[in-house]
Amino acid sequence: MLALRLARGAHSVVQLRRLLVVAASAGTGFLLLCTLGYALAHPDPSAGALLRLLWCLAPAAATVHFAVAVARTDPGTRPRPGLSAVGLGPGRLMAISAVTTALSTTLGSILALLVFLHLRGDLPGMSFDGDAASFLASDQPLPLPAALTLLLPVPLAASLASAVALRPRSPRPTRSRPARPRRPGADGDSPREPSRTRAKSGPYADQPGRPLDPQQPAPPLPTPGGLPWGIAVLAAGLAVEAYASRSGPGLALPGRFTGGPARVFGGWSLTALGLMLAAPTITHLCGRLLQAVRPGALRLLAGRVLQEEARRIGRPLGVVCAVASGAYAMATVYSGARPSFGPLSTLGALLVAGCTVATLLTAAVEAKHARADTTAALLRLGAPTTVLRGAALLRAGALLAVFGPLTWVVAELAALPLTR
């Protein structure tokens, strides 16, 4: 009940994001039900239904990823002072967020089931025939337990992923080394002149010693890990695609389109995973490049923000690059032909592209809320709004200048073995 009250009293923008999660879950559920209908209409043992179900994993993963991003930006489940006193600590808020995500995705699955039953003619309405009969199986009784089994994994995965992403994290204890006694004159200082000794704890240390140099740069933020693993997984995905393009069964997409070998899907999945792992480090390096070679205030601000937001927006940006490279590779492969895309193929492509772009935009909104205090402090200090806007445009330009060529290179490498 508390989750329903929080969902009802949320802002209109938050409600819009939740409705988008419902729509994405409904589209993914409809694809899964159409796969079941195709299996019912073609009872002979074949790999077509299994390959169609495998293709539905991409929209399902994109839907879960988007649902987690919406749960992270939900202000109703954000820890605030005073909530722990009434029993709403971080653990309870995490559970409420998981329940809210489960409600949104379950509502989408129910809508998908109602639409599917309506198109089949099981509910009052007109049933479809012709090409639609191949994935509706209107002449076959629909096994309800099988339909519910296909609709259940998406809400479960979304709620569990939201709970894992929002779980309370305790700060890691820092190991402090015991201070060693210093000998007089060990660092070249005279024992009679202690005021000339320099503190060794960094530019922000509150220790006695010689005044610090105001021109000394601030300590750099730690670089996110994952670049070596990302490069390795990306190379493995490209290798799988190159091997799969030579032999293998066809990959039947939901609809009338049949593309390359089935292992190509696994290669594209590895490619997407590799880009997702490497993107935070690449984003952090973009921030460091902006601050290189005598930067001004604008480049310093843009670079530091990129370094702080590398983990938050890096992974969604990597997924968007993976989807864009896959779309570019497919367009390159079929540039001279006219593949027959069915309605379900179009729906699946729109779901994957829409969810990935919406996830990136949601992560950008989350990053904006995270640095709201810093932005307010800069405005109080007299920073003009044009500087903040210029820093935002500079960050977007730097990311586009780096990830654009990277996406093109990955797409060309992915399409090269398929065009032979």
Side-chain angles (χ1 to χ4, degrees), residues 30-31 34-35 52 55 135 254-255 342-349:
F30 185 77
L31 289 178
C34 290
T35 302
R52 288 168 178 261
W55 189 90
F135 59 85
L344 299 184
S345 300
T346 305
L347 176 60

Side-chain angles (χ1 to χ4, degrees), residues 340-356:
S340 180
F341 286 92
L344 299 184
S345 300
T346 305
L347 176 60
L350 290 178
L351 277 175
V352 173
C355 287
T356 51

Side-chain angles (χ1 to χ4, degrees), residues 353-367:
C355 287
T356 51
V357 173
T359 302
L360 179 60
L361 296 178
T362 305
V365 171
E366 181 187 5

Side-chain angles (χ1 to χ4, degrees), residues 242-314:
Y243 172 75
S245 62
R246 300 179 181 179
S247 61
L251 174 60
L253 304 181
R256 295 188 302 268
F257 176 67
T258 56
R263 298 182 183 89
V264 173
F265 180 81
W268 280 349
S269 301
L270 290 177
T271 302
L273 181 60
L275 288 174
M276 186 179 67
L277 291 176
T281 308
I282 298 176
T283 305
H284 189 275
L285 294 178
C286 289
R288 293 188 63 179
L289 289 176
L290 285 177
Q291 302 175 79
V293 190
R294 304 178 64 180
L298 186 63
R299 285 201 292 152
L300 277 176
L301 179 60
R304 293 292 290 184
V305 170
L306 268 185
Q307 287 181 323
E308 292 180 358
E309 297 175 354
R311 290 181 174 86
R312 184 176 288 112
I313 68 174

Side-chain angles (χ1 to χ4, degrees), residues 52-138:
R52 288 168 178 261
L53 184 61
L54 178 65
W55 189 90
C56 291
L57 292 179
T63 301
V64 172
H65 193 202
F66 179 48
V68 173
V70 172
R72 290 174 61 94
T73 57
D74 194 346
T77 57
R78 189 175 304 166
R80 292 184 295 271
L83 291 181
S84 299
V86 295
L88 292 178
R92 183 67 63 85
L93 291 177
M94 178 266 295
I96 292 175
S97 177
V99 171
T100 304
T101 304
L103 289 176
S104 301
T105 51
T106 303
L107 179 59
S109 299
I110 293 175
L111 290 177
L113 180 60
L114 292 178
V115 171
F116 186 76
L117 293 177
H118 177 74
L119 295 179
R120 279 173 46 89
D122 297 335
L123 298 180
M126 182 181 297
S127 60
F128 284 77
D129 54 1
D131 295 337
S134 61
F135 59 85
L136 291 177
S138 55

